[in-house]
Amino acid sequence: MDIQFTEEQELLRSSVQRLLRDQYDFDARRKIVASEGGFSRKQWGAFAELGLLAAPFSEAVGGLGGGVLSTMVIMQEFGRHLVVEPFVETIVLAGGLIEQAGSEEQKQSFLPDIIAGENIWALAWTEKGSRFDLATVTTTARRDGNDYVLTGEKTAVIAAPWADYLIVSARTSDHRHDRDGVSLFVVDRHAANLHLQSFKTIDGRRAAEVSFKNVRGELLGGDGEGVAALEACRDRVIGALCAEAVGAIGELNSATLEYSKTRKQFGATIGSFQVLQHRMVDMFIAHQEALSLMQHLNLSLSAGEAGVSRLASGAKSKIGYAGRSVADQAVQLHGGMGMTDELNIGHYFKRISSINIQFGDPAYHLLRYARLDPAA
């Protein structure tokens, strides 16, 4: 499959490519990751100025109406440049949930500041022992006047140290594993009795363990409708993560091919050795298969096709395994240099490893793909 992009999508892609080429090379990215904040507010503002933060949202809420396919274009380029800024967390996850589940008042209150790059958001849904299950929630929320009061803990909340607001899943009724009774809440990240223990992830981003003790939150969407909203959002974010992974895989292939043309062993370039040529052909095939599947998934998401959730699991599994295989080969073919911090190869390896465990690893999604009804 090879998508024929519209004129607007081609313009978006070329604009992102130009911006990242000029402002986000590997050295610039390393400085951003090493900074105290771990990401660049200035760069985030540049994304907003270019319209990237508005691109996926509908025109009705102040966006550009690009939808899923604009996210795919952006994330593929972000994957090529290892962008650390929280586009997935703020735009795809939080912004998508607000647009999908929020009231008109909430959309008008929250989305303009997200689109303008003024506020950063994160989604707090993972808990210890939940093992990628959106319905396994022990954090509780009880009604208190017009608001709710949340108590519990969330683990590995990506971008939480950068966030101004969190969307938190919490149980308002039923058992910890039940689909019903889970709701979503908007919480000010600086609210009283909300505590963060921040840490750096293997791919250079920031995350946190978050605890709530009688923290006030505002209900987002209907009471007890959180799992359904999160499931729809998961499919969209898998499409975005797969696009990012494909961008990273493409860069690994290009870097490895270029290295094979210059690195010499036994008086010849390693690219002239037939056994290594076969391995690089396998890497190329893995990238092309991943690219085709990623595009198929995002086109299906854009069209709202039936069975897209099963397709999302299939893509997450297949692209996850392909990414890990290509990353392994790239590191090995670069030899000892592939393990150094100064070379970008290891950083792509780490990012692909992180993508693989977000919202379910390849093994989890392979089993989920086998269980789901193809017609569902």
Side-chain angles (χ1 to χ4, degrees):
M1 174 176 290
D2 186 16
I3 291 180
Q4 297 300 312
F5 290 109
T6 65
E7 183 179 349
E8 291 79 8
Q9 290 164 349
E10 285 288 1
L11 180 61
L12 174 63
R13 181 164 63 174
S14 63
S15 298
V16 179
Q17 288 174 341
R18 184 166 54 252
L19 173 68
L20 296 179
R21 183 181 63 246
D22 294 343
Q23 301 182 18
Y24 216 99
D25 62 16
F26 181 60
D27 288 337
R29 189 254 186 197
R30 288 183 66 195
K31 291 178 182 178
I32 289 172
V33 171
S35 67
E36 182 177 353
F39 86 116
S40 172
R41 283 272 183 182
K42 179 180 178 181
Q43 198 64 60
W44 189 249
F47 295 160
E49 185 176 348
L50 191 61
L52 305 189
L53 308 188
F57 295 108
S58 67
E59 295 179 3
V61 297
L64 299 180
V68 170
L69 295 182
S70 68
T71 299
M72 180 192 73
V73 170
I74 293 167
M75 290 305 300
Q76 192 170 351
E77 298 305 324
F78 278 12
R80 289 189 173 113
H81 288 263
L82 292 171
V83 172
V84 297
E85 280 67 30
F87 186 90
V88 164
E89 291 73 23
T90 298
I91 305 303
V92 183
L93 283 173
L97 284 169
I98 294 169
E99 184 175 22
Q100 168 196 350
S103 65
E104 287 301 318
E105 182 181 355
Q106 288 172 327
K107 293 176 187 178
Q108 297 302 321
S109 177
F110 299 134
L111 290 179
D113 286 340
I114 289 177
I115 290 171
E118 297 294 331
N119 288 333
I120 289 176
W121 290 61
L123 174 64
W125 70 275
T126 51
E127 297 189 3
K128 294 177 182 177
S130 63
R131 189 58 184 170
F132 310 129
D133 185 3
L134 298 170
T136 299
V137 177
T138 59
T139 299
T140 60
R142 61 178 176 82
R143 190 158 192 120
D144 183 22
N146 293 328
D147 292 328
Y148 287 76
V149 176
L150 281 66
T151 298
E153 296 181 351
K154 297 293 182 179
T155 186
V157 183
I158 300 173
W162 304 330
D164 301 290
Y165 292 94
L166 302 176
I167 294 179
V168 184
S169 63
R171 185 163 293 283
T172 50
S173 63
D174 296 326
H175 186 267
R176 63 170 292 188
H177 297 294
D178 291 340
R179 284 179 53 87
D180 297 329
V182 176
S183 305
L184 300 177
F185 299 90
V186 174
V187 176
D188 188 328
R189 209 272 286 171
H190 301 286
N193 301 321
L194 187 157
H195 301 286
L196 271 75
Q197 184 177 354
S198 303
F199 60 90
K200 193 173 181 179
T201 60
I202 63 167
D203 56 345
R205 297 171 189 236
R206 304 294 168 88
E209 308 292 302
V210 186
S211 64
F212 309 87
K213 187 175 182 181
N214 296 324
V215 175
R216 303 194 74 82
E218 175 185 345
L219 181 66
L220 179 70
D223 189 348
E225 299 176 359
V227 172
L230 287 171
E231 285 177 340
C233 190
R234 174 176 59 189
D235 294 339
R236 294 193 298 271
V237 79
I238 285 175
L241 290 172
C242 286
E244 184 182 2
V246 166
I249 292 169
E251 287 301 304
L252 281 172
N253 279 1
S254 297
T256 304
L257 179 61
E258 188 63 30
Y259 181 74
S260 72
K261 294 177 180 178
T262 57
R263 180 72 170 98
K264 290 187 175 182
Q265 287 284 351
F266 310 110
T269 59
I270 62 174
S272 65
F273 301 151
Q274 190 175 50
V275 66
L276 299 189
Q277 291 175 359
H278 290 169
R279 289 169 65 175
M280 284 184 282
V281 168
D282 289 340
M283 293 166 66
F284 174 79
I285 292 172
H287 174 249
Q288 291 301 303
E289 290 178 342
L291 174 63
S292 181
L293 185 53
M294 178 273 289
Q295 291 180 343
H296 177 37
L297 170 60
N298 280 285
L299 282 172
S300 298
L301 286 167
S302 181
E305 294 179 2
V308 72
S309 188
R310 185 171 186 261
L311 176 59
S313 278
K316 187 68 160 62
S317 179
K318 175 70 174 178
I319 295 172
Y321 284 127
R324 183 57 186 265
S325 174
V326 170
D328 285 344
Q329 295 283 0
V331 169
Q332 188 173 20
L333 289 171
H334 277 80
M337 290 179 60
M339 300 297 294
T340 63
D341 188 62
E342 289 74 16
L343 201 67
N344 62 5
I345 298 300
H347 295 268
Y348 283 108
F349 180 98
K350 293 174 184 177
R351 180 56 192 152
I352 286 173
S353 298
S354 292
I355 289 173
N356 274 359
I357 62 172
Q358 286 186 256
F359 285 87
D361 60 23
Y364 169 85
H365 279 287
L366 181 61
L367 291 173
R368 184 171 183 266
Y369 179 85
R371 289 196 306 265
L372 289 177
D373 182 352

Coordinates of all heavy atoms in Angstrom, one line a residue, residues 9-70:
Q9 N -1.9 17.5 2.7 CA -1.0 16.6 3.4 C 0.4 16.7 3.0 O 1.3 16.6 3.8 CB -1.6 15.2 3.3 CG -2.9 15.0 4.0 CD -3.7 13.7 3.6 OE1 -3.3 13.1 2.5 NE2 -4.7 13.4 4.3
E10 N 0.6 16.8 1.7 CA 2.0 17.0 1.2 C 2.6 18.3 1.8 O 3.8 18.3 2.1 CB 2.1 17.0 -0.3 CG 1.8 15.6 -0.9 CD 3.1 14.7 -0.7 OE1 4.1 15.1 -0.1 OE2 3.0 13.5 -1.3
L11 N 1.8 19.3 1.8 CA 2.3 20.6 2.3 C 2.7 20.5 3.8 O 3.7 21.0 4.3 CB 1.3 21.7 2.1 CG 1.7 23.1 2.6 CD1 2.9 23.6 1.9 CD2 0.5 24.1 2.4
L12 N 1.8 19.8 4.6 CA 2.1 19.5 6.0 C 3.4 18.7 6.2 O 4.2 19.1 7.0 CB 0.9 18.8 6.6 CG 1.1 18.3 8.0 CD1 1.2 19.5 9.0 CD2 -0.1 17.4 8.5
R13 N 3.5 17.7 5.4 CA 4.7 16.9 5.5 C 6.0 17.6 5.2 O 7.0 17.6 5.9 CB 4.6 15.6 4.6 CG 5.8 14.7 4.7 CD 5.6 13.3 4.2 NE 5.3 13.4 2.7 CZ 5.2 12.2 2.0 NH1 5.3 11.1 2.6 NH2 5.0 12.3 0.7
S14 N 6.0 18.4 4.1 CA 7.2 19.2 3.8 C 7.5 20.3 4.8 O 8.6 20.6 5.1 CB 7.0 19.8 2.4 OG 5.9 20.7 2.4
S15 N 6.4 20.8 5.4 CA 6.6 21.9 6.4 C 7.3 21.3 7.7 O 8.2 21.8 8.3 CB 5.3 22.5 6.8 OG 4.7 23.2 5.7
V16 N 6.8 20.1 8.1 CA 7.4 19.4 9.2 C 8.8 19.0 9.0 O 9.7 19.2 9.8 CB 6.5 18.2 9.6 CG1 7.1 17.4 10.8 CG2 5.1 18.6 10.0
Q17 N 9.0 18.5 7.8 CA 10.4 18.1 7.4 C 11.4 19.2 7.5 O 12.5 19.1 8.0 CB 10.4 17.4 6.0 CG 9.8 16.1 5.9 CD 9.7 15.5 4.5 OE1 9.7 16.3 3.6 NE2 9.5 14.2 4.4
R18 N 10.9 20.4 6.9 CA 11.8 21.6 6.9 C 12.1 22.1 8.3 O 13.2 22.4 8.6 CB 11.1 22.6 6.1 CG 12.0 23.9 5.9 CD 11.4 24.8 4.8 NE 10.0 25.1 5.0 CZ 9.0 24.6 4.2 NH1 9.3 23.7 3.3 NH2 7.8 25.0 4.5
L19 N 11.0 22.1 9.1 CA 11.2 22.6 10.5 C 12.2 21.7 11.3 O 13.1 22.2 11.9 CB 9.9 22.6 11.2 CG 9.9 23.0 12.7 CD1 10.3 24.4 12.9 CD2 8.6 22.7 13.4
L20 N 12.0 20.4 11.2 CA 12.8 19.5 12.0 C 14.3 19.5 11.4 O 15.2 19.3 12.2 CB 12.2 18.1 12.0 CG 10.9 18.0 12.7 CD1 10.3 16.5 12.6 CD2 11.0 18.4 14.1
R21 N 14.4 19.6 10.1 CA 15.7 19.6 9.5 C 16.5 20.8 10.0 O 17.7 20.7 10.3 CB 15.6 19.6 8.0 CG 17.0 19.6 7.3 CD 16.8 19.6 5.8 NE 16.2 20.8 5.3 CZ 15.0 20.9 4.7 NH1 14.3 19.8 4.5 NH2 14.5 22.0 4.3
D22 N 15.8 21.9 10.1 CA 16.5 23.2 10.4 C 16.7 23.4 12.0 O 17.7 24.0 12.4 CB 15.7 24.4 9.9 CG 15.7 24.5 8.4 OD1 16.5 23.8 7.8 OD2 14.8 25.2 7.9
Q23 N 15.8 22.8 12.8 CA 15.8 23.1 14.2 C 16.0 21.9 15.1 O 16.1 22.0 16.3 CB 14.5 23.8 14.6 CG 14.3 25.1 13.9 CD 13.0 25.8 14.3 OE1 12.5 25.6 15.4 NE2 12.5 26.8 13.5
Y24 N 15.9 20.7 14.5 CA 15.8 19.5 15.4 C 16.7 18.4 14.9 O 16.3 17.2 14.8 CB 14.4 19.0 15.5 CG 14.0 18.5 16.9 CD1 13.2 19.3 17.7 CD2 14.3 17.2 17.3 CE1 12.9 18.8 19.0 CE2 13.9 16.7 18.5 CZ 13.2 17.5 19.3 OH 12.8 17.0 20.6
D25 N 18.0 18.7 14.7 CA 18.9 17.7 14.3 C 19.3 16.9 15.6 O 18.9 17.2 16.7 CB 20.1 18.2 13.6 CG 21.0 19.2 14.4 OD1 20.8 19.2 15.7 OD2 21.8 19.9 13.9
F26 N 20.1 15.9 15.4 CA 20.4 15.0 16.5 C 21.1 15.7 17.7 O 20.8 15.5 18.9 CB 21.3 13.8 16.1 CG 21.6 12.8 17.1 CD1 20.6 12.1 17.8 CD2 22.9 12.5 17.5 CE1 20.9 11.2 18.8 CE2 23.2 11.6 18.5 CZ 22.2 11.0 19.2
D27 N 22.0 16.6 17.4 CA 22.7 17.4 18.4 C 21.8 18.3 19.2 O 21.8 18.4 20.4 CB 23.8 18.2 17.8 CG 25.0 17.4 17.4 OD1 25.2 16.2 17.9 OD2 25.8 17.8 16.5
A28 N 20.8 18.9 18.5 CA 19.8 19.8 19.1 C 18.9 18.9 20.0 O 18.6 19.3 21.2 CB 19.0 20.5 18.1
R29 N 18.6 17.7 19.6 CA 17.7 16.9 20.4 C 18.5 16.4 21.6 O 17.9 16.3 22.7 CB 17.4 15.7 19.5 CG 16.3 14.8 20.1 CD 16.9 13.5 20.6 NE 15.8 12.6 21.0 CZ 16.1 11.5 21.8 NH1 17.3 11.2 22.2 NH2 15.1 10.7 22.2
R30 N 19.7 16.1 21.5 CA 20.5 15.7 22.7 C 20.6 16.8 23.7 O 20.5 16.5 24.9 CB 21.9 15.3 22.3 CG 22.0 13.9 21.5 CD 23.4 13.6 21.2 NE 24.2 13.3 22.4 CZ 25.5 13.2 22.5 NH1 26.2 13.5 21.4 NH2 26.1 13.0 23.6
K31 N 20.7 18.0 23.3 CA 20.8 19.1 24.3 C 19.4 19.3 25.0 O 19.4 19.6 26.1 CB 21.1 20.4 23.5 CG 22.6 20.4 23.0 CD 22.9 21.7 22.3 CE 24.3 21.7 21.8 NZ 24.6 22.9 21.0
I32 N 18.3 19.1 24.2 CA 17.0 19.2 24.8 C 16.8 18.1 25.9 O 16.3 18.4 27.0 CB 15.9 19.1 23.7 CG1 15.9 20.4 22.8 CG2 14.5 18.9 24.3 CD1 15.0 20.3 21.6
V33 N 17.2 16.9 25.5 CA 17.0 15.8 26.5 C 17.8 16.0 27.7 O 17.4 15.7 28.8 CB 17.3 14.5 25.8 CG1 17.4 13.3 26.8 CG2 16.3 14.2 24.7
A34 N 19.0 16.6 27.6 CA 20.0 16.8 28.7 C 19.6 18.0 29.5 O 20.2 18.1 30.6 CB 21.4 16.9 28.2
S35 N 18.7 18.8 29.1 CA 18.4 20.0 29.8 C 17.6 19.7 31.1 O 17.1 18.5 31.2 CB 17.5 21.0 28.9 OG 16.3 20.4 28.7
E36 N 17.5 20.6 32.0 CA 16.8 20.4 33.2 C 15.3 20.0 33.0 O 14.8 19.1 33.7 CB 16.9 21.6 34.1 CG 16.2 21.4 35.5 CD 16.4 22.6 36.4 OE1 17.1 23.6 35.9 OE2 15.8 22.7 37.5
G37 N 14.7 20.6 32.1 CA 13.3 20.3 31.8 C 13.1 19.0 31.1 O 12.0 18.4 31.2
G38 N 14.0 18.7 30.2 CA 13.9 17.5 29.4 C 13.1 17.6 28.1 O 13.0 16.6 27.3
F39 N 12.6 18.8 27.9 CA 11.9 19.1 26.6 C 12.0 20.6 26.4 O 12.4 21.3 27.3 CB 10.5 18.6 26.6 CG 9.5 19.5 27.1 CD1 8.5 20.0 26.3 CD2 9.5 19.9 28.5 CE1 7.5 20.9 26.9 CE2 8.6 20.7 29.0 CZ 7.6 21.2 28.2
S40 N 11.6 21.0 25.2 CA 11.7 22.4 24.8 C 10.4 23.1 24.7 O 9.6 22.8 23.8 CB 12.5 22.6 23.5 OG 12.5 23.9 23.1
R41 N 10.1 24.1 25.6 CA 8.9 24.9 25.5 C 8.9 25.7 24.2 O 7.9 25.9 23.5 CB 8.7 25.8 26.7 CG 8.2 25.1 27.9 CD 6.7 25.0 28.0 NE 6.2 24.4 29.2 CZ 4.9 24.2 29.5 NH1 4.0 24.6 28.6 NH2 4.6 23.7 30.6
K42 N 10.1 26.2 23.9 CA 10.3 27.0 22.6 C 10.0 26.1 21.4 O 9.3 26.6 20.5 CB 11.7 27.5 22.6 CG 12.0 28.3 21.3 CD 13.5 28.7 21.3 CE 13.8 29.5 20.0 NZ 15.2 30.0 20.0
Q43 N 10.4 24.9 21.4 CA 10.1 24.0 20.2 C 8.6 23.7 20.2 O 8.0 23.6 19.1 CB 10.9 22.7 20.3 CG 11.0 22.0 19.0 CD 11.7 22.7 18.0 OE1 12.9 23.1 18.1 NE2 11.1 23.0 16.9
W44 N 8.0 23.5 21.4 CA 6.6 23.2 21.4 C 5.8 24.4 20.9 O 4.8 24.3 20.1 CB 6.2 23.0 22.9 CG 4.8 22.5 23.1 CD1 3.7 23.2 23.6 CD2 4.3 21.2 22.7 NE1 2.6 22.4 23.6 CE2 2.9 21.2 23.1 CE3 4.8 20.1 22.1 CZ2 2.1 20.1 22.9 CZ3 4.0 19.0 21.9 CH2 2.7 19.0 22.3
G45 N 6.3 25.7 21.2 CA 5.7 26.8 20.6 C 5.8 26.9 19.1 O 4.9 27.4 18.4
A46 N 7.0 26.4 18.6 CA 7.2 26.4 17.1 C 6.2 25.4 16.5 O 5.7 25.7 15.4 CB 8.6 26.1 16.8
F47 N 6.0 24.3 17.1 CA 5.0 23.4 16.6 C 3.6 24.0 16.5 O 2.9 23.8 15.5 CB 5.0 22.1 17.4 CG 6.2 21.3 17.5 CD1 6.5 20.4 18.5 CD2 7.2 21.4 16.4 CE1 7.6 19.6 18.5 CE2 8.3 20.6 16.4 CZ 8.6 19.7 17.5
A48 N 3.3 24.7 17.6 CA 2.0 25.4 17.6 C 1.9 26.4 16.5 O 0.8 26.6 15.8 CB 1.7 26.0 19.0
E49 N 2.9 27.2 16.3 CA 2.9 28.3 15.3 C 2.8 27.7 13.9 O 2.2 28.3 13.1 CB 4.2 29.1 15.5 CG 4.3 30.3 14.6 CD 5.6 31.1 14.8 OE1 6.3 30.9 15.8 OE2 5.8 32.0 13.9
L50 N 3.4 26.6 13.7 CA 3.3 25.9 12.4 C 1.9 25.3 12.1 O 1.6 24.9 11.0 CB 4.4 24.9 12.2 CG 4.6 24.3 10.8 CD1 5.0 25.4 9.8 CD2 5.7 23.2 10.9
G51 N 1.1 25.1 13.2 CA -0.2 24.5 13.1 C -0.2 23.0 13.3 O -1.3 22.4 13.2
L52 N 0.9 22.5 13.8 CA 0.9 21.0 14.0 C 0.0 20.6 15.2 O -0.6 19.5 15.1 CB 2.3 20.6 14.4 CG 3.4 20.9 13.4 CD1 4.7 20.2 13.7 CD2 3.0 20.6 11.9
L53 N -0.1 21.5 16.2 CA -1.0 21.1 17.3 C -2.5 21.2 17.0 O -3.3 20.6 17.7 CB -0.6 22.0 18.5 CG 0.8 22.0 19.0 CD1 1.0 22.8 20.3 CD2 1.5 20.7 19.0
A54 N -2.8 22.0 16.0 CA -4.2 22.2 15.5 C -4.6 21.2 14.5 O -5.8 20.9 14.3 CB -4.4 23.6 15.0
A55 N -3.6 20.6 13.8 CA -3.8 19.8 12.6 C -4.9 18.7 12.8 O -5.8 18.5 12.0 CB -2.5 19.2 12.0
P56 N -4.8 17.9 13.9 CA -5.7 16.7 13.9 C -7.2 17.1 14.3 O -8.1 16.3 14.1 CB -5.1 15.9 15.0 CG -3.7 16.4 15.2 CD -3.8 17.8 14.9
F57 N -7.4 18.3 15.0 CA -8.7 18.6 15.5 C -9.6 19.1 14.4 O -9.2 19.7 13.4 CB -8.5 19.7 16.6 CG -7.8 19.2 17.8 CD1 -6.5 19.7 18.1 CD2 -8.3 18.3 18.7 CE1 -5.8 19.3 19.2 CE2 -7.6 17.9 19.8 CZ -6.3 18.4 20.1
S58 N -10.9 18.9 14.7 CA -11.9 19.4 13.7 C -12.0 20.9 13.7 O -11.6 21.6 14.7 CB -13.3 18.8 14.1 OG -13.7 19.3 15.3
E59 N -12.5 21.4 12.6 CA -12.6 22.9 12.5 C -13.6 23.4 13.5 O -13.5 24.6 13.9 CB -13.0 23.2 11.1 CG -12.0 22.9 10.1 CD -12.4 23.2 8.7 OE1 -13.5 23.8 8.5 OE2 -11.6 22.9 7.7
A60 N -14.6 22.6 14.0 CA -15.6 23.0 14.9 C -15.0 23.4 16.3 O -15.6 24.3 17.0 CB -16.6 21.9 15.1
V61 N -13.8 22.9 16.6 CA -13.2 23.2 17.9 C -12.0 24.1 17.7 O -11.1 24.2 18.6 CB -12.9 22.0 18.7 CG1 -14.1 21.2 19.0 CG2 -11.9 21.1 18.0
G62 N -11.8 24.6 16.5 CA -10.6 25.5 16.2 C -9.4 24.8 15.6 O -8.4 25.4 15.5
G63 N -9.6 23.6 15.2 CA -8.5 22.9 14.5 C -8.5 23.0 13.0 O -9.2 23.9 12.5
L64 N -7.6 22.3 12.4 CA -7.5 22.4 10.9 C -8.2 21.3 10.2 O -8.2 21.2 9.0 CB -6.0 22.4 10.6 CG -5.1 23.5 11.1 CD1 -3.7 23.4 10.7 CD2 -5.7 24.9 10.7
G65 N -8.8 20.3 10.9 CA -9.6 19.3 10.3 C -8.8 18.2 9.6 O -9.4 17.5 8.8
G66 N -7.5 18.0 10.0 CA -6.7 17.0 9.3 C -7.0 15.6 9.8 O -6.7 14.6 9.1
G67 N -7.5 15.5 11.0 CA -7.8 14.1 11.5 C -6.6 13.2 11.7 O -5.5 13.6 11.9
V68 N -7.0 11.9 11.6 CA -6.0 10.8 11.9 C -4.8 10.9 10.9 O -3.7 10.7 11.2 CB -6.7 9.5 11.8 CG1 -5.7 8.3 11.8 CG2 -7.6 9.3 13.0
L69 N -5.1 11.2 9.6 CA -4.0 11.2 8.6 C -3.0 12.3 8.8 O -1.8 12.1 8.5 CB -4.7 11.3 7.2 CG -5.5 10.1 6.8 CD1 -6.0 10.2 5.4 CD2 -4.8 8.7 6.9
S70 N -3.4 13.4 9.3 CA -2.5 14.5 9.6 C -1.6 14.1 10.8 O -0.4 14.3 10.8 CB -3.2 15.8 9.9 OG -3.9 15.7 11.2

